Amino acid sequence: GIVAVARSDNRPMLLARLAVPFLLAAALGACAPALDWRELRPEGSGLQLMLPCRPTTQARSVTLAGRSVKLSLVACSAGEQTWALAFADVSDPAVVAAALEELRMSAARNLGAEAHGARSLDVPGATPNPGSQRFAVDGRLPDGSAVQEQAAVFARGTLVFQATAVGAKLGADAVDTFFGSLRFPS
């Protein structure tokens, strides 16, 4: 799914209260107008990105890389797709790589699939990290319907991020616009 983290017992956990309403809206083919791209700077993230719809923001305390953190989620649904950005401050540079890997692996597990097509990701202004990647997942929603996911994980300092696009079909142009808009202004 959109965002997952590990509980203290290290089993993956979908942030259901945050992400599922957005994912279900996309899966059910909610009637949405054409994509209406807008620039956004989520509070506390330092990141600038474009989303194709008006987002809602939620936050929750979760365990990520063995630490209790506040995870913020900014997400919206449009064009039968869900677009999301999740981020958290892990407070310790030594756990950033583990947090990125946990986010990547959990995204695939939540759809009952393996990530594929991983490639390095260069978000302008992000902290260089070998764990910064963009990848794809072809999986299934809880109701069994097929879903595509394009996701990216990256960091700036001790802030870790997961950007995600999910839908029955993802348009390459829209996905490239979304991921291409990620940047940390100077």
Side-chain angles (χ1 to χ4, degrees):
I2 293 176
V3 176
V5 297
R7 294 188 298 235
S8 58
D9 62 3
N10 288 328
R11 289 182 296 148
M13 174 182 75
L14 177 64
L15 296 176
R17 290 187 187 120
L18 298 177
V20 169
F22 300 107
L23 191 57
L24 290 177
L28 297 174
C31 218
L35 302 181
D36 180 16
W37 293 97
R38 62 199 69 215
E39 186 175 288
L40 181 70
R41 293 179 187 217
E43 186 176 336
S45 72
L47 184 71
Q48 175 182 318
L49 74 152
M50 293 188 64
L51 287 174
C53 40
R54 183 177 305 252
T56 60
T57 302
Q58 299 180 23
R60 177 178 172 180
S61 292
V62 298
T63 300
L64 180 61
R67 299 174 178 276
S68 179
V69 298
K70 174 184 154 193
L71 183 93
S72 296
L73 176 70
V74 177
C76 65
S77 292
E80 298 183 15
Q81 299 154 358
T82 298
W83 309 85
L85 175 74
F87 60 95
D89 190 344
V90 294
S91 302
D92 181 355
V95 300
V96 168
L100 293 176
E101 179 64 11
E102 203 171 297
L103 288 171
R104 187 188 66 76
M105 290 177 54
S106 294
R109 274 194 302 250
N110 284 332
L111 294 180
E114 296 288 325
H116 61 85
R119 59 184 183 226
S120 64
L121 177 71
D122 181 22
V123 173
T127 303
N129 187 301
S132 293
Q133 297 181 348
R134 181 171 162 190
F135 55 93
V137 178
D138 298 315
R140 301 235 171 247
L141 293 174
D143 68 4
S145 59
V147 67
Q148 297 177 340
E149 176 181 53
Q150 289 277 331
V153 294
F154 55 97
R156 182 171 193 182
T158 59
L159 282 172
V160 294
F161 296 82
Q162 181 187 43
T164 309
V166 180
K169 290 233 182 234
L170 295 174
D173 289 344
V175 170
D176 287 342
T177 297
F178 175 60
F179 290 111
S181 74
L182 299 170
R183 67 183 80 281
F184 294 94
S186 355

